[in-house]
Amino acid sequence: MYTTTEFQQLLEDKLRRKRGKEIKEADDKDVYEAVASIVQDSITEDWLETRQRYEKRNERQIYYISMEFLIGRLMESNLMNCGLLDVCSDALRQLGRDPESVYNQEHDAGLGNGGLGRLAACFLDSMASLKYAGHGSGIRYRYGLFEQRIIHGNQVELPDYWLKEAYAWETRKANESLKIYFGGEVHSHARADGSLEFTYKHADEVLAVPYDVPIVGYRNNVVNTLRLWSAELPEHEAEIPGDSESRYYHHLDHMHSVEQISGFLYPDDSSLEGRELRLKQQYFLVSSTIQNILREYKANGGSIRELHKKTAIQINDTHPSLAVPELMRLLMDEERLSWEEAWKITTAVLAYTNHTTLSEALEKWPVDLVQQLLPRIFMIINEINERFCRGLWFDHPDMRLDIPHLAIIADDQVHMARLAIVGSHSVNGVAHLHTEILKKREMNRFYRLYPEKFNNKTNGITHRRWLLQVNRGLADVVTEAIGPQWISQPQKLSGLVRYSNDAAFLEAAGQVKQENKKVLAELIQKRTGIHVNENSIFDVQIKRLHEYKRQLLNIFHIIHLYNELKDNPSLDLTPRTFIFGAKAAPGYYMAKEIIKLVHHVASIVNEDPVIGDRLKVVFLENYNVSLAEKIIPAADLSEQISTASKEASGTGNMKMMMNGALTIGTLDGANIEIKDLVGPSNIFIFGLSSEEVHRYYAEGGYNAKDLYHTDERIRRILDQLHGGEFGSQEIEFKDLFYHILYHNDPYFVLKDFDSYVVTQELVEQAYRDPRHWQKMSVANTAYSGKFSSDRTIHEYASDIWKLTPVRS
Ligand code: 26W
């Protein structure tokens, strides 16, 4: 490793050679690029060796296919993982540079919407750090998730052109490009041996060009790969025809439409955007990934009949579920296996993770669209469906009536979850409750058919990024108390339990939180101009905006507190700062209304002299991974208040718990597992249970209007929305009012209101005893080890992938 002086030297050399500049003339971007290049140099060898080691030892490989990888920035975590972070930061400081502003030069790689994409990124980190031969495969979108601006309280979306400046971490591998075909006609001919050969006529050819991003393991010399595919025009078509103007324009159009395939990430989280381009993206990803897997496998001398012995593929939600027919196609049409052989291998290789039970998010594609865009794939899906339904009819006579609900093709649609379940050997949910709901309700018919396929893998987060990297203060205090073993064995954080009565430890951890809050308060001041009280409760809700996540319940509570203070200005209320971060899908009207409401409530509450600094409402624009890294270490209270049964797991809940925030939450997703670990005295639980929610949905019995008429607090809030109290002449919230009352409050905001308010009062009382609060906070960090994605990945590896770590 390097001394600070050596690193300084290295950096100055790099700057001179790469940028032709002395450090004095270099701006932060120049310095950033020089540092990135040093990191690249120091990992290249390990990267090569890791690949060679996997090949030489003929290791079993796992490929994680996902339409989303929400990686955020890589500089700090790469530096940390290769052991260079401190030396680099010191060297920068000695050269008179601010390390943070250098690292901040990196544009977030926002190639994901939210939880599902961030989970994929945490998994890559854990696979590399645990020495699993695991790789990611995704799309290199030219535009990531939109950048959010707020104008007069309204969300406006701007394109996120994250590749504007060259991306420091990617390497283009043009010579490993693959061909993908869309449309056209399929013709079949019998070969001499009687097998069928399929040829395509008039199909559009697209080139899939891989870009590799290194995934650096934590101080273990392992560097795995995230391979992102970019769509380009095939070389033989790349020449622009000069013979006629119309052909020239036609050619440009064609090029444009090909490049669109990896053009942008669809910004919809949990609702289906059934557009042809999205289906093209899915097939593009799946076909390039699977062709690539087979090519690597064969290059290493593997026999195709043994593919499943050396390969596992995890499909992240149904988005890549065309992997089922694509693997069948390649095994049969290219490798000449029989249907039966191909099917055995396909189902043995593939495994599917479900991330949501929201019905509007379940993917279905119109038969016509699939048939016309992917004719050969459609033939295979059809055959899978026929064989599956025939099997049901003959082998499961008791389930004949269920066939319409099980069939992969039904109502002129291809049901992707059904395809994924039938074509995989494993189906998993992402938290205990979620998996139970899949088994008992949403996928009960499939569970009865294939009980052995269903299993749970409770989500996790990488504690290296989400504690060690983003909260150095707390990490140091923890290490001082229990030693550094927790870094490689996060469950060892439980050693902190012993410190929950140690005054010095509590004091130190409390001071770190205070320091982090100060830093966040400065960021808030800088970005919003709002001055917040650093001694107030930092009450945080950061996640995508969705009705089921109930940001509305949070705002109703804020309005309620505001009303109380207005009625009784001398009320003794523990000061609070409510912090929101949330992007709404561009077409999601109600979500955008809720963002607008937060802003209008904020502008009234924050300006009111009666309120002073007892309540402040802050909405931080453009919530993304980098912003999360700044908010989470400073959170006191973590809002996890979804309608019970709706949040599959949640992962922000785990990040905040690990950083010592207390959770106020419903018995939903992984909140339940958090509660089971910390115990009921270290968490604030409220609201309907998932059974109660289901009962109301099934049997009725809830009437939102009754609550409007009987609960004065609720009536007052809703009337304030209707009466324009939080708006102006042009801005009103009548739609929210009618939506709640006339659609009978589908997410039980009013129903859970009282219980939420009462529980928030308990929070307030608890916060008045700082020592007690700090004790609870430490208990949360102490029990958070289970939620390291290292634990999750070990479970996937041993139960689903049958993988053991690679020995060095
Ligand atoms: C087709 C449109 C679409 C897009 C995204 C449908 C569904 C999705 C995802 C499944 C939404 C998602 O991110 N789900 C979240 O996954 C996290 C990781 O497992 C969980 O922690 C969250 O609870 C779940 O909402």
Side-chain angles (χ1 to χ4, degrees):
M1 277 301 129
Y2 306 106
T3 65
T4 315
T5 325
E6 285 166 349
F7 197 92
Q8 221 171 303
Q9 198 76 58
L10 209 58
L11 190 65
E12 286 176 304
D13 272 7
K14 270 283 181 213
L15 271 170
R16 257 185 239 115
R17 282 190 292 116
K18 284 221 132 187
R19 318 291 298 176
K21 287 187 183 173
E22 298 292 344
I23 183 89
K24 294 188 297 289
E25 351 162 45
D27 62 14
D28 281 341
K29 188 125 264 146
D30 296 321
V31 179
Y32 169 82
E33 277 165 22
V35 176
S37 170
I38 294 173
V39 177
Q40 284 282 15
D41 291 347
S42 85
I43 61 182
T44 345
E45 204 137 310
D46 284 342
W47 202 0
L48 185 70
E49 272 170 24
T50 301
R51 199 173 57 233
Q52 288 172 342
R53 196 153 64 220
Y54 294 161
E55 278 167 20
K56 215 167 57 224
R57 305 236 184 108
N58 201 7
E59 295 288 347
R60 193 169 156 81
Q61 313 269 323
I62 148 75
Y63 295 87
Y64 196 84
I65 314 189
S66 178
M67 289 282 282
E68 307 191 5
F69 286 93
L70 190 42
I71 32 201
R73 293 185 180 134
L74 281 180
M75 177 66 94
E76 265 179 281
S77 77
N78 283 349
L79 280 167
M80 181 178 84
N81 291 0
C82 48
L84 292 174
L85 184 57
D86 287 347
V87 75
C88 175
S89 299
D90 288 346
L92 287 170
R93 272 188 288 264
Q94 279 185 21
L95 289 166
R97 319 296 301 219
D98 171 23
E100 208 183 328
S101 65
V102 171
Y103 306 150
N104 285 351
Q105 294 304 308
E106 180 168 346
H107 196 111
D108 266 46
L111 308 184
N113 272 288
L116 163 135
R118 181 56 230 176
L119 185 77
C122 284
F123 280 5
L124 294 180
D125 181 272
S126 285
M127 289 192 286
S129 295
L130 298 173
K131 300 189 175 184
Y132 285 113
H135 308 284
S137 190
I139 294 179
R140 180 180 178 270
Y141 301 106
R142 246 169 305 119
Y143 292 88
L145 184 63
F146 66 85
E147 188 184 314
Q148 178 192 55
R149 291 276 173 80
I150 305 290
I151 296 176
H152 304 308
N154 294 306
Q155 169 176 300
V156 174
E157 301 89 20
L158 299 180
D160 168 46
Y161 190 32
W162 70 294
L163 294 169
K164 196 161 47 212
E165 257 128 338
Y167 185 47
W169 304 112
E170 67 181 7
T171 312
R172 180 180 163 97
K173 298 275 176 73
N175 56 341
E176 295 183 42
S177 300
L178 290 162
K179 293 171 184 162
I180 317 292
Y181 294 93
F182 292 99
E185 302 147 22
V186 184
H187 297 270
S188 58
H189 323 266
R191 295 193 189 97
D193 63 0
S195 68
L196 284 181
E197 181 181 358
F198 291 90
T199 51
Y200 308 111
K201 271 207 190 126
H202 311 301
D204 286 332
E205 184 183 313
V206 173
L207 201 64
V209 183
Y211 285 72
D212 286 353
V213 178
I215 304 296
V216 184
Y218 184 75
R219 300 190 188 174
N220 63 0
N221 304 103
V222 169
V223 181
N224 285 343
T225 303
L226 167 60
R227 179 158 270 203
L228 298 173
W229 297 92
S230 177
E232 294 182 12
L233 210 56
E235 224 164 281
H236 60 86
E237 291 182 36
E239 219 162 280
I240 296 179
D243 49 355
S244 89
E245 195 186 60
S246 76
R247 280 201 38 197
Y248 172 76
Y249 286 116
H250 177 79
H251 183 82
L252 286 187
D253 273 354
H254 180 55
M255 186 168 85
H256 179 74
S257 81
V258 165
E259 288 173 352
Q260 266 304 92
I261 296 174
S262 51
F264 72 96
L265 167 79
Y266 274 94
D268 292 286
D269 182 82
S270 71
S271 80
L272 176 66
E273 180 72 79
R275 290 187 206 247
E276 176 175 346
L277 181 57
R278 174 143 171 118
L279 185 60
K280 270 192 172 170
Q281 291 186 332
Q282 296 185 346
Y283 183 67
F284 172 77
L285 168 63
V286 157
S287 183
S288 38
T289 308
I290 302 209
Q291 289 189 55
N292 185 52
I293 291 172
L294 295 184
R295 178 174 62 187
E296 283 181 6
Y297 175 76
K298 292 199 293 186
N300 212 20
S303 136
I304 203 71
R305 291 192 161 74
E306 314 235 291
L307 179 72
H308 53 293
K309 296 195 177 146
K310 292 288 168 196
T311 314
I313 299 176
Q314 192 71 34
I315 57 179
N316 200 19
D317 215 276
T318 55
H319 320 155
S321 54
L322 290 171
V324 177
E326 177 66 1
L327 183 51
M328 287 296 286
R329 181 184 75 84
L330 291 166
L331 293 176
M332 295 187 302
D333 299 2
E334 304 290 323
E335 305 295 334
R336 303 208 189 180
L337 299 191
S338 68
W339 180 278
E340 288 73 17
E341 286 172 308
W343 186 247
K344 195 185 95 204
I345 294 171
T346 297
T347 51
V349 165
L350 290 174
Y352 153 58
T353 304
N354 173 286
H355 293 267
T356 184
T357 55
L358 296 183
S359 53
E360 64 272 27
L362 288 184
E363 287 195 298
K364 296 174 204 116
W365 293 104
V367 161
D368 290 347
L369 179 61
V370 180
Q371 189 163 21
Q372 164 241 317
L373 191 67
L374 307 166
R376 176 67 185 131
I377 288 298
F378 182 73
M379 290 166 73
I380 295 171
I381 295 175
N382 225 349
E383 180 74 19
I384 295 173
N385 183 48
E386 300 255 312
R387 288 176 183 244
F388 171 62
C389 292
R390 214 178 306 141
L392 285 172
W393 184 266
F394 291 110
D395 304 337
H396 299 271
D398 55 314
M399 293 191 81
R400 284 183 184 169
L401 289 176
D402 295 312
I403 292 179
H405 306 281
L406 290 162
I408 295 163
I409 299 177
D411 314 319
D412 286 329
Q413 296 192 303
V414 182
H415 292 245
M416 304 311 267
R418 300 178 190 174
L419 176 64
I421 299 171
V422 174
S424 306
H425 67 283
S426 165
V427 177
N428 76 280
V430 291
H432 176 76
L433 175 73
H434 171 57
T435 303
E436 289 306 305
I437 290 174
L438 291 180
K439 293 198 290 194
K440 287 200 193 111
R441 301 176 196 279
E442 311 302 324
M443 298 185 169
N444 176 257
R445 292 186 179 91
F446 280 104
Y447 176 57
R448 274 160 31 217
L449 192 61
Y450 308 123
E452 72 291 348
K453 290 192 186 188
F454 285 76
N455 63 95
N456 175 245
K457 295 287 166 283
T458 298
N459 281 166
I461 56 166
T462 163
H463 63 289
R464 285 168 293 274
R465 177 180 288 251
W466 295 107
L467 178 53
L468 189 57
Q469 181 193 318
V470 308
N471 196 347
R472 262 303 270 281
L474 184 58
D476 287 347
V477 169
V478 169
T479 299
E480 187 145 319
I482 61 169
Q485 290 84 356
W486 65 272
I487 298 171
S488 52
Q489 293 160 271
Q491 305 265 15
K492 289 242 156 91
L493 284 170
S494 64
L496 291 174
V497 173
R498 284 195 295 124
Y499 288 82
S500 57
N501 278 315
D502 181 316
F505 181 82
L506 293 179
E507 171 71 22
Q511 247 169 32
V512 168
K513 181 65 80 181
Q514 208 49 48
E515 190 50 41
N516 294 341
K517 286 169 74 173
K518 185 162 176 256
V519 173
L520 181 60
E522 281 160 13
L523 181 144
I524 291 172
Q525 173 85 53
K526 207 165 112 211
R527 296 207 185 167
T528 67
I530 301 170
H531 176 79
V532 307
N533 176 354
E534 287 162 25
N535 295 315
S536 63
I537 306 175
F538 277 22
D539 179 330
V540 175
Q541 189 170 22
I542 42 175
K543 48 186 82 243
R544 284 297 288 254
L545 213 137
H546 201 292
E547 286 164 276
Y548 85 77
K549 294 178 187 282
R550 297 201 296 193
Q551 280 92 352
L552 200 53
L553 179 58
N554 190 343
I555 304 161
F556 281 7
H557 173 239
I558 298 171
I559 298 177
H560 166 68
L561 292 180
Y562 174 73
N563 289 339
E564 294 251 279
L565 279 173
K566 292 296 273 187
D567 291 350
N568 181 3
S570 61
L571 192 73
D572 183 17
L573 190 100
T574 312
R576 279 210 210 213
T577 301
F578 295 91
I579 298 165
F580 290 89
K583 286 179 179 174
Y588 190 168
Y589 175 72
M590 278 303 158
K592 289 185 152 179
E593 285 293 290
I594 293 169
I595 289 183
K596 194 164 84 183
L597 179 62
V598 174
H599 281 89
H600 285 271
V601 171
S603 66
I604 287 184
V605 171
N606 296 348
E607 305 283 291
D608 195 321
V610 173
I611 306 299
D613 68 357
R614 290 182 292 176
L615 297 182
K616 285 280 182 252
V617 182
V618 176
F619 186 100
L620 287 168
E621 213 170 52
N622 200 35
Y623 177 60
N624 60 9
V625 174
S626 292
L627 188 54
E629 291 174 358
K630 304 203 163 74
I631 299 172
I632 288 170
D636 290 312
L637 188 65
S638 157
E639 298 272 353
Q640 306 301 336
I641 59 179
S642 53
T643 310
S645 79
K646 299 283 176 193
E647 189 70 272
S649 161
T651 42
N653 47 0
M654 301 169 183
K655 291 168 196 156
M656 285 198 265
M657 172 202 196
M658 197 173 269
N659 282 274
L662 304 198
T663 301
I664 180 163
T666 48
L667 287 174
D668 200 14
N671 297 349
I672 298 176
E673 286 156 79
I674 294 179
K675 186 204 96 187
D676 290 346
L677 284 164
V678 299
S681 58
N682 291 314
I683 190 167
F684 299 95
I685 296 291
F686 73 97
L688 294 174
S689 67
S690 63
E691 290 85 10
E692 288 167 323
V693 167
H694 277 292
R695 208 170 311 128
Y696 280 125
Y697 283 139
E699 299 167 15
Y702 170 51
N703 190 346
K705 282 189 192 139
D706 289 348
L707 280 176
Y708 173 78
H709 290 297
T710 52
D711 189 324
E712 271 173 43
R713 301 164 303 178
I714 288 177
R715 189 168 59 245
R716 182 165 172 193
I717 294 165
L718 285 174
D719 287 349
Q720 284 169 315
L721 295 191
H722 188 267
E725 189 155 330
F726 297 107
S728 55
Q729 261 157 357
E730 311 94 81
I731 296 153
E732 48 176 35
F733 295 100
K734 286 197 173 59
D735 287 344
L736 277 174
F737 175 93
Y738 289 115
H739 187 69
I740 291 256
L741 288 182
Y742 294 88
H743 289 104
N744 200 30
D745 184 19
Y747 296 99
F748 301 98
V749 174
L750 305 187
K751 182 76 189 164
D752 277 347
F753 178 79
D754 178 64
S755 161
Y756 184 56
V757 169
V758 168
T759 310
Q760 285 285 20
E761 280 163 13
L762 298 179
V763 170
E764 204 185 306
Q765 283 158 24
Y767 197 78
R768 285 168 191 246
D769 180 351
R771 194 184 149 107
H772 177 61
W773 183 275
Q774 198 47 50
K775 250 174 96 160
M776 295 194 290
S777 163
V778 167
N780 273 270
T781 304
Y783 291 110
S784 67
K786 167 180 170 179
F787 299 112
S788 165
S789 44
D790 288 4
R791 188 265 315 146
T792 316
I793 284 301
H794 275 314
E795 291 178 6
Y796 275 90
S798 76
D799 301 350
I800 304 176
W801 306 333
K802 309 295 178 211
L803 208 67
T804 45
V806 175
R807 285 153 293 114
S808 353

